[in-house]
């Protein structure tokens, strides 16, 4: 509820739209280039494994290993594949944290840009 109030009612001008790509350069504010996130599996491998489209995110490699373990150790999945499941769940959590940090970064950069724009307008008025 708090994010809805912030994004649509109280601060719609500086709340990032999560459905669009980021407005600012991903490396803005960092000294070195950030390491790009990659997926090891190819589209053909994912098609052969019948991985659903909603599972094809940055954690799909961990998901694929978990599903292969489940298939290999079927009756004893819980005891045999808990490491793979933990790796996948941990990857999902880290991905969520990264997305939230990117959202907050975008929100702060939009607020900074708004503040700079107001400052420039104020200085132009005083001159």
């Amino acid at each position: 509820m708090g994010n809805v109030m912030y994004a649509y009612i109280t601060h719609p001008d500086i709340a990032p739209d999560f459905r669009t790509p980021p407005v600012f350069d991903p490396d803005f504010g960092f000294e070195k280039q950030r390491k790009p996130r990659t997926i090891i599996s190819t589209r053909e491998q994912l098609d052969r494994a019948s991985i659903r489209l909603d599972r094809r995110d940055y954690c799909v490699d961990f998901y694929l290993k978990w599903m292969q373990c489940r298939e290999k150790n079927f009756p004893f999945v819980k005891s045999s594949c808990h490491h793979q499941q933990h790796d996948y769940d941990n990857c999902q959590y880290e991905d969520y944290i990264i997305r939230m940090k990117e959202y907050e970064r975008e929100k702060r950069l939009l607020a900074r840009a708004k503040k700079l724009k107001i400052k420039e307008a104020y200085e132009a008025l005083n001159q």
Side-chain angles (χ1 to χ4, degrees):
M1 175 77 181
N3 193 39
V4 172
M5 289 288 291
Y6 185 89
Y8 296 109
I9 297 172
T10 59
H11 299 92
D13 52 342
I14 61 170
D17 186 7
F18 62 90
R19 295 169 296 218
T20 60
V23 176
F24 297 95
D25 179 30
D27 293 327
F28 179 70
F30 292 97
E31 294 176 8
K32 299 179 182 178
Q33 267 194 332
R34 295 162 70 186
K35 182 181 172 186
R37 299 176 72 197
T38 58
I39 299 172
I40 299 169
S41 301
T42 63
R43 180 173 285 177
E44 291 79 23
Q45 288 174 328
L46 300 177
D47 288 340
R48 268 187 272 126
S50 300
I51 305 294
R52 296 187 332 232
L53 292 177
D54 63 335
R55 297 284 187 183
R56 295 185 185 193
D57 54 5
Y58 289 107
C59 300
V60 72
D61 297 318
F62 295 104
Y63 183 73
L64 192 58
K65 288 177 187 174
W66 181 33
M67 290 298 115
Q68 288 170 349
C69 179
R70 285 179 57 142
E71 187 176 315
K72 189 174 90 174
N73 303 308
F74 175 63
F76 309 105
V77 172
K78 196 70 171 169
S79 61
S80 301
C81 301
H82 65 278
H83 293 297
Q84 288 82 0
Q85 183 180 6
H86 176 73
D87 290 343
Y88 173 70
D89 291 340
N90 191 35
C91 180
Q92 286 289 322
Y93 176 73
E94 288 175 1
D95 183 53
Y96 172 76
I97 296 295
I98 289 171
R99 286 185 284 121
M100 290 302 107
K101 285 181 179 179
E102 286 297 319
Y103 180 84
E104 285 295 321
R105 178 179 179 271
E106 188 79 10
K107 185 169 81 171
R108 289 185 177 135
L109 288 174
L110 285 170
R112 179 179 177 264
K114 180 183 175 185
K115 194 183 293 185
L116 289 175
K117 186 177 177 182
I118 290 171
K119 183 179 177 182
E120 288 173 3
Y122 180 74
E123 288 174 356
L125 263 170
N126 289 338
Q127 288 181 354

PDB file of all heavy atoms in Angstrom, residues 96-110:
ATOM      1  N   TYR A  96      15.650 -10.616  -6.277  1.00  0.00           N
ATOM      2  CA  TYR A  96      14.669  -9.691  -5.725  1.00  0.00           C
ATOM      3  C   TYR A  96      15.368  -8.490  -5.074  1.00  0.00           C
ATOM      4  O   TYR A  96      14.974  -7.338  -5.276  1.00  0.00           O
ATOM      5  CB  TYR A  96      13.794 -10.419  -4.698  1.00  0.00           C
ATOM      6  CG  TYR A  96      12.869  -9.521  -3.929  1.00  0.00           C
ATOM      7  CD1 TYR A  96      11.716  -9.014  -4.510  1.00  0.00           C
ATOM      8  CD2 TYR A  96      13.157  -9.168  -2.617  1.00  0.00           C
ATOM      9  CE1 TYR A  96      10.867  -8.182  -3.810  1.00  0.00           C
ATOM     10  CE2 TYR A  96      12.318  -8.348  -1.908  1.00  0.00           C
ATOM     11  CZ  TYR A  96      11.175  -7.855  -2.502  1.00  0.00           C
ATOM     12  OH  TYR A  96      10.350  -7.022  -1.808  1.00  0.00           O
ATOM     13  N   ILE A  97      16.419  -8.753  -4.313  1.00  0.00           N
ATOM     14  CA  ILE A  97      17.160  -7.671  -3.655  1.00  0.00           C
ATOM     15  C   ILE A  97      17.778  -6.747  -4.695  1.00  0.00           C
ATOM     16  O   ILE A  97      17.704  -5.512  -4.559  1.00  0.00           O
ATOM     17  CB  ILE A  97      18.252  -8.253  -2.721  1.00  0.00           C
ATOM     18  CG1 ILE A  97      17.630  -9.042  -1.581  1.00  0.00           C
ATOM     19  CG2 ILE A  97      19.179  -7.165  -2.207  1.00  0.00           C
ATOM     20  CD1 ILE A  97      16.793  -8.212  -0.634  1.00  0.00           C
ATOM     21  N   ILE A  98      18.353  -7.294  -5.742  1.00  0.00           N
ATOM     22  CA  ILE A  98      18.956  -6.478  -6.792  1.00  0.00           C
ATOM     23  C   ILE A  98      17.896  -5.611  -7.467  1.00  0.00           C
ATOM     24  O   ILE A  98      18.111  -4.413  -7.718  1.00  0.00           O
ATOM     25  CB  ILE A  98      19.686  -7.364  -7.818  1.00  0.00           C
ATOM     26  CG1 ILE A  98      20.948  -7.947  -7.190  1.00  0.00           C
ATOM     27  CG2 ILE A  98      20.029  -6.584  -9.080  1.00  0.00           C
ATOM     28  CD1 ILE A  98      21.629  -9.002  -8.029  1.00  0.00           C
ATOM     29  N   ARG A  99      16.726  -6.182  -7.765  1.00  0.00           N
ATOM     30  CA  ARG A  99      15.664  -5.402  -8.401  1.00  0.00           C
ATOM     31  C   ARG A  99      15.173  -4.280  -7.499  1.00  0.00           C
ATOM     32  O   ARG A  99      14.913  -3.161  -7.955  1.00  0.00           O
ATOM     33  CB  ARG A  99      14.505  -6.311  -8.803  1.00  0.00           C
ATOM     34  CG  ARG A  99      14.828  -7.156 -10.025  1.00  0.00           C
ATOM     35  CD  ARG A  99      13.641  -7.965 -10.502  1.00  0.00           C
ATOM     36  NE  ARG A  99      13.430  -9.107  -9.623  1.00  0.00           N
ATOM     37  CZ  ARG A  99      12.309  -9.329  -8.953  1.00  0.00           C
ATOM     38  NH1 ARG A  99      11.286  -8.519  -9.046  1.00  0.00           N
ATOM     39  NH2 ARG A  99      12.201 -10.400  -8.176  1.00  0.00           N
ATOM     40  N   MET A 100      15.059  -4.546  -6.193  1.00  0.00           N
ATOM     41  CA  MET A 100      14.617  -3.500  -5.268  1.00  0.00           C
ATOM     42  C   MET A 100      15.672  -2.396  -5.142  1.00  0.00           C
ATOM     43  O   MET A 100      15.331  -1.213  -5.072  1.00  0.00           O
ATOM     44  CB  MET A 100      14.306  -4.087  -3.888  1.00  0.00           C
ATOM     45  CG  MET A 100      13.085  -4.957  -3.842  1.00  0.00           C
ATOM     46  SD  MET A 100      11.592  -4.095  -4.371  1.00  0.00           S
ATOM     47  CE  MET A 100      11.311  -4.843  -5.957  1.00  0.00           C
ATOM     48  N   LYS A 101      16.943  -2.780  -5.125  1.00  0.00           N
ATOM     49  CA  LYS A 101      18.004  -1.776  -5.072  1.00  0.00           C
ATOM     50  C   LYS A 101      18.011  -0.923  -6.331  1.00  0.00           C
ATOM     51  O   LYS A 101      18.228   0.291  -6.262  1.00  0.00           O
ATOM     52  CB  LYS A 101      19.368  -2.446  -4.887  1.00  0.00           C
ATOM     53  CG  LYS A 101      19.601  -2.957  -3.494  1.00  0.00           C
ATOM     54  CD  LYS A 101      20.969  -3.595  -3.375  1.00  0.00           C
ATOM     55  CE  LYS A 101      21.232  -4.084  -1.973  1.00  0.00           C
ATOM     56  NZ  LYS A 101      22.555  -4.724  -1.873  1.00  0.00           N
ATOM     57  N   GLU A 102      17.775  -1.530  -7.480  1.00  0.00           N
ATOM     58  CA  GLU A 102      17.714  -0.776  -8.734  1.00  0.00           C
ATOM     59  C   GLU A 102      16.524   0.181  -8.733  1.00  0.00           C
ATOM     60  O   GLU A 102      16.628   1.309  -9.211  1.00  0.00           O
ATOM     61  CB  GLU A 102      17.630  -1.721  -9.937  1.00  0.00           C
ATOM     62  CG  GLU A 102      18.928  -2.421 -10.256  1.00  0.00           C
ATOM     63  CD  GLU A 102      20.030  -1.463 -10.647  1.00  0.00           C
ATOM     64  OE1 GLU A 102      19.770  -0.485 -11.394  1.00  0.00           O
ATOM     65  OE2 GLU A 102      21.162  -1.671 -10.195  1.00  0.00           O
ATOM     66  N   TYR A 103      15.401  -0.262  -8.204  1.00  0.00           N
ATOM     67  CA  TYR A 103      14.226   0.595  -8.113  1.00  0.00           C
ATOM     68  C   TYR A 103      14.515   1.798  -7.217  1.00  0.00           C
ATOM     69  O   TYR A 103      14.216   2.945  -7.568  1.00  0.00           O
ATOM     70  CB  TYR A 103      13.036  -0.196  -7.570  1.00  0.00           C
ATOM     71  CG  TYR A 103      11.776   0.614  -7.433  1.00  0.00           C
ATOM     72  CD1 TYR A 103      10.934   0.797  -8.517  1.00  0.00           C
ATOM     73  CD2 TYR A 103      11.436   1.203  -6.226  1.00  0.00           C
ATOM     74  CE1 TYR A 103       9.776   1.545  -8.399  1.00  0.00           C
ATOM     75  CE2 TYR A 103      10.287   1.956  -6.097  1.00  0.00           C
ATOM     76  CZ  TYR A 103       9.462   2.123  -7.183  1.00  0.00           C
ATOM     77  OH  TYR A 103       8.321   2.867  -7.067  1.00  0.00           O
ATOM     78  N   GLU A 104      15.111   1.544  -6.054  1.00  0.00           N
ATOM     79  CA  GLU A 104      15.440   2.635  -5.133  1.00  0.00           C
ATOM     80  C   GLU A 104      16.462   3.581  -5.736  1.00  0.00           C
ATOM     81  O   GLU A 104      16.368   4.801  -5.567  1.00  0.00           O
ATOM     82  CB  GLU A 104      15.969   2.069  -3.809  1.00  0.00           C
ATOM     83  CG  GLU A 104      14.913   1.484  -2.932  1.00  0.00           C
ATOM     84  CD  GLU A 104      13.923   2.524  -2.437  1.00  0.00           C
ATOM     85  OE1 GLU A 104      14.339   3.650  -2.110  1.00  0.00           O
ATOM     86  OE2 GLU A 104      12.733   2.202  -2.385  1.00  0.00           O
ATOM     87  N   ARG A 105      17.438   3.052  -6.448  1.00  0.00           N
ATOM     88  CA  ARG A 105      18.452   3.875  -7.102  1.00  0.00           C
ATOM     89  C   ARG A 105      17.798   4.773  -8.142  1.00  0.00           C
ATOM     90  O   ARG A 105      18.081   5.970  -8.210  1.00  0.00           O
ATOM     91  CB  ARG A 105      19.502   2.969  -7.753  1.00  0.00           C
ATOM     92  CG  ARG A 105      20.569   3.711  -8.500  1.00  0.00           C
ATOM     93  CD  ARG A 105      21.578   2.717  -9.097  1.00  0.00           C
ATOM     94  NE  ARG A 105      22.577   3.418  -9.835  1.00  0.00           N
ATOM     95  CZ  ARG A 105      22.473   3.712 -11.123  1.00  0.00           C
ATOM     96  NH1 ARG A 105      21.423   3.333 -11.804  1.00  0.00           N
ATOM     97  NH2 ARG A 105      23.425   4.372 -11.736  1.00  0.00           N
ATOM     98  N   GLU A 106      16.915   4.198  -8.933  1.00  0.00           N
ATOM     99  CA  GLU A 106      16.208   4.972  -9.952  1.00  0.00           C
ATOM    100  C   GLU A 106      15.348   6.061  -9.305  1.00  0.00           C
ATOM    101  O   GLU A 106      15.297   7.197  -9.775  1.00  0.00           O
ATOM    102  CB  GLU A 106      15.340   4.028 -10.784  1.00  0.00           C
ATOM    103  CG  GLU A 106      14.721   4.669 -11.985  1.00  0.00           C
ATOM    104  CD  GLU A 106      15.661   4.816 -13.157  1.00  0.00           C
ATOM    105  OE1 GLU A 106      16.769   4.252 -13.132  1.00  0.00           O
ATOM    106  OE2 GLU A 106      15.280   5.514 -14.105  1.00  0.00           O
ATOM    107  N   LYS A 107      14.688   5.729  -8.204  1.00  0.00           N
ATOM    108  CA  LYS A 107      13.846   6.697  -7.506  1.00  0.00           C
ATOM    109  C   LYS A 107      14.684   7.857  -6.977  1.00  0.00           C
ATOM    110  O   LYS A 107      14.305   9.022  -7.120  1.00  0.00           O
ATOM    111  CB  LYS A 107      13.114   5.991  -6.364  1.00  0.00           C
ATOM    112  CG  LYS A 107      12.118   6.863  -5.652  1.00  0.00           C
ATOM    113  CD  LYS A 107      11.236   6.056  -4.730  1.00  0.00           C
ATOM    114  CE  LYS A 107      11.907   5.777  -3.430  1.00  0.00           C
ATOM    115  NZ  LYS A 107      11.007   5.180  -2.428  1.00  0.00           N
ATOM    116  N   ARG A 108      15.821   7.557  -6.399  1.00  0.00           N
ATOM    117  CA  ARG A 108      16.684   8.618  -5.868  1.00  0.00           C
ATOM    118  C   ARG A 108      17.284   9.472  -6.972  1.00  0.00           C
ATOM    119  O   ARG A 108      17.423  10.686  -6.813  1.00  0.00           O
ATOM    120  CB  ARG A 108      17.784   7.995  -5.006  1.00  0.00           C
ATOM    121  CG  ARG A 108      17.224   7.449  -3.714  1.00  0.00           C
ATOM    122  CD  ARG A 108      18.285   6.950  -2.790  1.00  0.00           C
ATOM    123  NE  ARG A 108      17.659   6.510  -1.553  1.00  0.00           N
ATOM    124  CZ  ARG A 108      17.957   5.398  -0.948  1.00  0.00           C
ATOM    125  NH1 ARG A 108      18.896   4.617  -1.421  1.00  0.00           N
ATOM    126  NH2 ARG A 108      17.334   5.061   0.162  1.00  0.00           N
ATOM    127  N   LEU A 109      17.645   8.844  -8.103  1.00  0.00           N
ATOM    128  CA  LEU A 109      18.179   9.629  -9.218  1.00  0.00           C
ATOM    129  C   LEU A 109      17.109  10.517  -9.834  1.00  0.00           C
ATOM    130  O   LEU A 109      17.393  11.641 -10.266  1.00  0.00           O
ATOM    131  CB  LEU A 109      18.798   8.703 -10.272  1.00  0.00           C
ATOM    132  CG  LEU A 109      20.120   8.059  -9.874  1.00  0.00           C
ATOM    133  CD1 LEU A 109      20.563   7.045 -10.923  1.00  0.00           C
ATOM    134  CD2 LEU A 109      21.197   9.114  -9.668  1.00  0.00           C
ATOM    135  N   LEU A 110      15.860  10.055  -9.893  1.00  0.00           N
ATOM    136  CA  LEU A 110      14.772  10.902 -10.384  1.00  0.00           C
ATOM    137  C   LEU A 110      14.531  12.073  -9.434  1.00  0.00           C
ATOM    138  O   LEU A 110      14.298  13.205  -9.886  1.00  0.00           O
ATOM    139  CB  LEU A 110      13.489  10.077 -10.550  1.00  0.00           C
ATOM    140  CG  LEU A 110      13.437   9.152 -11.758  1.00  0.00           C
ATOM    141  CD1 LEU A 110      12.244   8.220 -11.664  1.00  0.00           C
ATOM    142  CD2 LEU A 110      13.380   9.950 -13.049  1.00  0.00           C
TER     143      LEU A 110
END
